[in-house]
Amino acid sequence: MKKIINNPNDVVKDMLKGMELAHKELKYTPELEVISKNEKCEKVGLVSGGGSGHEPAHAGYVGYGMLDAAVCGNVFASPSPDRILKGIEEADTGKGVLLIVKNYSGDIMNFEMAKDLCELDEDMIDMVIVRDDVAMEDSDFSTGRRGISGTVFVHKIAGAMSQRGGSLVEVKRIAQKTIDNVRSMGMSMSSCIIPAVGKAGFEIEENEIEVGMGIHGEAGIYKKPLMSAKELAKELVEKITDDLDYTNSDVALMINGLGATPLMELYIMSKEVIELLESKNIHPYKVLVGNFMTALEMAGCSVSILKLDDELKGLLDDKCNTPAMKN
Amino acid sequence: MKKIINNPNDVVKDMLKGMELAHKELKYTPELEVISKNEKCEKVGLVSGGGSGHEPAHAGYVGYGMLDAAVCGNVFASPSPDRILKGIEEADTGKGVLLIVKNYSGDIMNFEMAKDLCELDEDMIDMVIVRDDVAMEDSDFSTGRRGISGTVFVHKIAGAMSQRGGSLVEVKRIAQKTIDNVRSMGMSMSSCIIPAVGKAGFEIEENEIEVGMGIHGEAGIYKKPLMSAKELAKELVEKITDDLDYTNSDVALMINGLGATPLMELYIMSKEVIELLESKNIHPYKVLVGNFMTALEMAGCSVSILKLDDELKGLLDDKCNTPAMKN
């Protein structure tokens, strides 16, 4: 295992301390592994989180116009309810708190528990669940579709609505609208190593890719021989466009690297995906290319497509200022 | 070779087409492999470039407040003078053009040639050479120190001065001031594969790192056993601080990933570097963490430290809006 780390058991706390030192507008609560904002303004608080290893998700999206707190579990492990309670406390300014949770059974259980345990009135705390991964209807770790890179669009758009002063009801409505209109699909070309485990979670042949791979190294839907970027774009995009009718729509497109894929390859993938979408009369209005939700040093990518209307476009274009996304 | 590509010989043009499609404010000139801005404003034009494979450098820095054109060679190969001439043409709005070149013999030769061949008056075109890599005094590919990740600070600061309306003399002065005050040092943990070659350029043992490795896979200064992030921070930073006295200074710090290093590891490295700098009475004023100048899918990182005064701070803080850097 070749990593830039100290003790493999300390990777999450060392990383979060590094984030706090690098970004003075962020505050790190040690032991509870929460990243929040140093300066608060009165607004609906947005909390997300989950296992670590998906950086910049979610701590990199804490800041103006996106999240108020990110709760970090150990690598690929759900954060415990006490950590989530601390996240809620940090995000609460009296206007209500929305939890944005990716659909994994452990996360749902722990976020639900924290929601029930926290001291906020029932109408001051709510939750949405992101299920954007069209690869499979159920997985080993989720009932229903998994939440993956499309979650970042939910952070951006709900964050904008909250920053505009929307109520908890309004912010939840727009978060759910984003969830209803986003779909994602990924594939991987290599495994990744959880630091505390020290060896790769699975093997993959030199000429093989795993389509529909999850962001924790969980199995995909099938393996296929390595293919060209053009074929890969078709493989991923058509699973998405078969699931939701995007025809004649403007969309936000994310070409997301899983950690070890060079930006050169992500832009080649962008070319193929955009040309394919245009041929289907689907028009990218905004395109994000980079590492937005990763799986440690996994090579591969996911594609997320969000169907836009004027309301979503406006919120997508609103100013945001976080370590991992600025507008 | 497992990459998201089509024909290995087309990676640069496919990538640049992808950039143009993803970022509507950018224009791609095919065959000459230049990325420039669609909308021009009258100002000193900034042109940079070099071999491809270092993305987002340099095309990702074309936009408001940074570069006006990036000239792209083949992977790890200098762009030819005709390409550079096109870059100059795209960047020229009558106020003069500055070429920002990393110190590699091929780049220097070709940029010099284009500078001599172009139709601008002698006082309307100038050039600066970045030599920030303290690893070695000369290399196989350069006379004098190589230019690496510190170059991005030159793009940012000269870009801000140009955007403010500074003259060519002023923009060159501040670019040179940035060069004089920035030092970098890197290390790698893995090799990378040039697509058209198809196999790794060198071998590195499982428990070994190469200190002082260049961004084209050229040899470093020595190999060492894998060490902790804390030890690695000391290894890289002290080579830099031995070279320039930063004591009691505010600095801009860049923790740059070489392509395949997870953000988790870069933030762990940030923690160690910032704590070490503070212990030496050197104060990070601004910290950039991410992939800014890469070497395809190489694992590893470089550290760049820029000594700041009030003038440089102001320019660093100015607004910029490019695909890879926003302020």
Side-chain angles (χ1 to χ4, degrees), chain A residues 84-99:
Chain A
I84 301 168
L85 281 170
K86 178 64 181 171
I88 294 171
E89 181 193 319
E90 287 293 329
D92 176 31
T93 60
K95 299 284 182 184
V97 172
L98 182 70
L99 310 177

Side-chain angles (χ1 to χ4, degrees), chain A residues 153 251-255 266-267 270-271 273-274 277 283-290 292 304 316, chain B residues 18-25 323 326:
Chain A
F153 285 130
V251 298
L253 170 67
M254 177 184 287
I255 307 291
L266 296 179
Y267 273 115
S270 301
K271 168 184 178 291
V273 170
I274 294 169
L277 289 176
H283 312 294
Y285 168 81
K286 191 182 180 90
V287 184
L288 301 173
V289 185
F292 297 98
S304 296
L316 198 60
Chain B
M19 289 198 75
E20 181 187 53
L21 290 173
H23 308 292
K24 287 173 182 143
E25 64 280 15
K326 293 183 205 298

Side-chain angles (χ1 to χ4, degrees), chain A residues 2 23-24 205 208 267 284, chain B residues 2 23-24 205 267 284:
Chain A
K2 231 173 191 178
H23 308 293
K24 286 172 184 145
E205 297 295 323
E208 216 175 43
Y267 273 115
Chain B
K2 231 174 192 178
H23 308 292
K24 287 173 182 143
E205 298 294 324
Y267 273 115

Side-chain angles (χ1 to χ4, degrees), chain A residues 1-6 14 18 23-24 189 205-206 208 228-230 265 267 271-272 284 326, chain B residues 1-6 14 18 23-24 189 205-206 208 228-230 265 267 271-272 284 326:
Chain A
M1 177 177 63
K2 231 173 191 178
K3 289 179 186 279
I4 305 174
I5 59 174
N6 297 302
D14 282 358
H23 308 293
K24 286 172 184 145
M189 302 193 294
E205 297 295 323
E206 178 52 34
E208 216 175 43
S228 72
K230 187 183 277 299
E265 297 177 35
Y267 273 115
K271 168 184 178 291
E272 301 304 336
K326 294 182 205 296
Chain B
M1 177 177 62
K2 231 174 192 178
K3 289 179 186 279
I4 304 174
I5 60 174
N6 297 302
D14 282 357
H23 308 292
K24 287 173 182 143
M189 302 193 294
E205 298 294 324
E206 179 49 37
E208 216 175 43
S228 71
K230 188 182 278 295
E265 297 177 33
Y267 273 115
K271 169 185 177 289
E272 300 304 337
K326 293 183 205 298

Side-chain angles (χ1 to χ4, degrees), chain B residues 65-285:
Chain B
M66 292 186 78
L67 300 178
D68 297 281
V71 186
C72 306
N74 294 335
V75 176
F76 296 169
S78 181
S80 54
D82 59 326
R83 295 186 183 186
I84 301 168
L85 281 169
K86 177 65 181 169
I88 293 170
E89 181 193 320
E90 286 293 327
D92 176 31
T93 61
K95 299 285 181 182
V97 173
L98 182 69
L99 310 177
I100 301 172
V101 187
K102 301 192 300 303
N103 189 34
Y104 296 98
S105 306
D107 285 339
I108 302 289
M109 187 178 74
N110 290 337
F111 275 86
E112 282 279 12
M113 200 178 295
K115 177 170 167 279
D116 292 344
L117 287 171
C118 79
E119 287 171 3
L120 293 173
D121 288 344
E122 235 178 57
D123 61 344
M124 292 300 268
I125 181 138
D126 214 331
M127 180 161 132
V128 292
I129 300 172
V130 188
R131 318 166 191 263
D132 56 317
D133 185 357
V134 299
M136 55 187 73
E137 292 307 317
D138 290 290
S139 79
D140 291 349
F141 301 96
S142 68
T143 305
R145 293 175 174 184
R146 301 173 296 197
I148 57 170
S149 47
T151 309
V152 179
F153 284 129
V154 184
H155 295 347
K156 173 68 189 81
I157 286 169
M161 180 63 92
S162 155
Q163 202 70 56
R164 283 183 185 183
S167 67
L168 179 55
V169 169
E170 267 296 276
V171 174
K172 184 185 179 187
R173 177 189 66 79
I174 203 75
Q176 190 59 52
K177 180 174 170 177
T178 307
I179 292 167
D180 294 342
N181 284 284
V182 69
R183 302 287 187 279
S184 303
M185 177 79 186
M187 73 90 200
S188 95
M189 302 193 294
S190 77
S191 186
C192 60
I193 299 176
I194 298 177
V197 174
K199 58 189 173 84
F202 63 96
E203 295 294 324
I204 186 163
E205 298 294 324
E206 179 49 37
N207 62 348
E208 216 175 43
I209 64 171
E210 176 122 13
V211 180
M213 163 71 53
I215 54 174
H216 310 92
E218 63 267 37
I221 40 179
Y222 46 77
K223 290 186 175 175
K224 277 213 165 178
L226 192 58
M227 58 184 82
S228 71
K230 188 182 278 295
E231 291 161 338
L232 184 61
K234 204 169 144 66
E235 186 85 27
L236 300 187
V237 166
E238 297 202 332
K239 187 95 175 139
I240 293 173
T241 53
D242 284 352
D243 195 76
L244 183 67
D245 185 8
Y246 291 88
T247 317
N248 295 320
S249 296
D250 284 352
V251 298
L253 171 65
M254 177 184 287
I255 307 291
N256 173 56
L258 292 180
T261 297
L263 198 52
M264 170 181 272
E265 297 177 33
L266 296 180
Y267 273 115
I268 293 173
M269 188 68 182
S270 301
K271 169 185 177 289
E272 300 304 337
V273 170
I274 295 170
E275 288 177 349
L276 179 61
L277 289 176
E278 291 287 4
S279 78
K280 292 175 181 289
N281 217 4
I282 300 168
H283 311 295
Y285 168 80

Side-chain angles (χ1 to χ4, degrees), chain A residues 35-284:
Chain A
I35 290 282
S36 55
K37 300 196 288 196
N38 263 322
E39 286 188 23
K40 296 176 189 183
C41 73
E42 264 193 28
K43 61 183 268 303
V44 170
L46 293 188
V47 179
S48 194
S52 292
H54 306 303
E55 292 69 30
H58 297 277
Y61 302 115
V62 173
Y64 183 90
M66 291 186 78
L67 301 179
D68 297 281
V71 187
C72 306
N74 294 335
V75 176
F76 296 168
S78 180
S80 54
D82 59 324
R83 294 186 184 186
I84 301 168
L85 281 170
K86 178 64 181 171
I88 294 171
E89 181 193 319
E90 287 293 329
D92 176 31
T93 60
K95 299 284 182 184
V97 172
L98 182 70
L99 310 177
I100 301 172
V101 186
K102 300 193 299 302
N103 189 34
Y104 296 99
S105 306
D107 284 339
I108 303 289
M109 188 180 72
N110 290 335
F111 274 86
E112 281 280 13
M113 199 178 295
K115 176 170 165 283
D116 292 342
L117 286 172
C118 80
E119 288 171 4
L120 294 173
D121 288 344
E122 236 178 55
D123 62 343
M124 293 300 267
I125 180 139
D126 215 331
M127 181 161 132
V128 292
I129 300 172
V130 188
R131 317 166 192 267
D132 56 318
D133 185 357
V134 299
M136 54 186 76
E137 292 308 316
D138 289 290
S139 78
D140 291 350
F141 301 98
S142 67
T143 305
R145 293 175 172 183
R146 301 172 296 196
I148 57 170
S149 46
T151 309
V152 178
F153 285 130
V154 185
H155 296 346
K156 172 67 189 81
I157 286 170
M161 181 62 92
S162 155
Q163 201 71 55
R164 283 182 185 184
S167 67
L168 178 54
V169 169
E170 267 296 277
V171 174
K172 184 186 178 185
R173 178 189 66 79
I174 203 75
Q176 191 60 51
K177 179 174 171 177
T178 308
I179 292 167
D180 294 341
N181 284 284
V182 69
R183 301 288 186 277
S184 304
M185 179 77 185
M187 72 89 201
S188 94
M189 302 193 294
S190 77
S191 186
C192 59
I193 299 176
I194 299 178
V197 174
K199 58 189 173 78
F202 63 96
E203 295 295 325
I204 187 163
E205 297 295 323
E206 178 52 34
N207 62 347
E208 216 175 43
I209 64 169
E210 176 123 12
V211 179
M213 165 69 53
I215 53 175
H216 311 92
E218 64 268 38
I221 40 179
Y222 45 78
K223 290 186 175 177
K224 278 212 164 179
L226 192 59
M227 58 185 83
S228 72
K230 187 183 277 299
E231 291 161 336
L232 184 62
K234 203 168 146 62
E235 186 85 25
L236 300 187
V237 166
E238 298 203 331
K239 187 93 176 140
I240 293 174
T241 54
D242 284 351
D243 195 75
L244 183 68
D245 185 9
Y246 292 89
T247 317
N248 296 319
S249 297
D250 285 353
V251 298
L253 170 67
M254 177 184 287
I255 307 291
N256 174 56
L258 291 180
T261 297
L263 197 53
M264 169 181 273
E265 297 177 35
L266 296 179
Y267 273 115
I268 293 173
M269 187 68 182
S270 301
K271 168 184 178 291
E272 301 304 336
V273 170
I274 294 169
E275 288 177 350
L276 178 61
L277 289 176
E278 292 285 5
S279 78
K280 292 175 182 287
N281 217 4
I282 299 168
H283 312 294

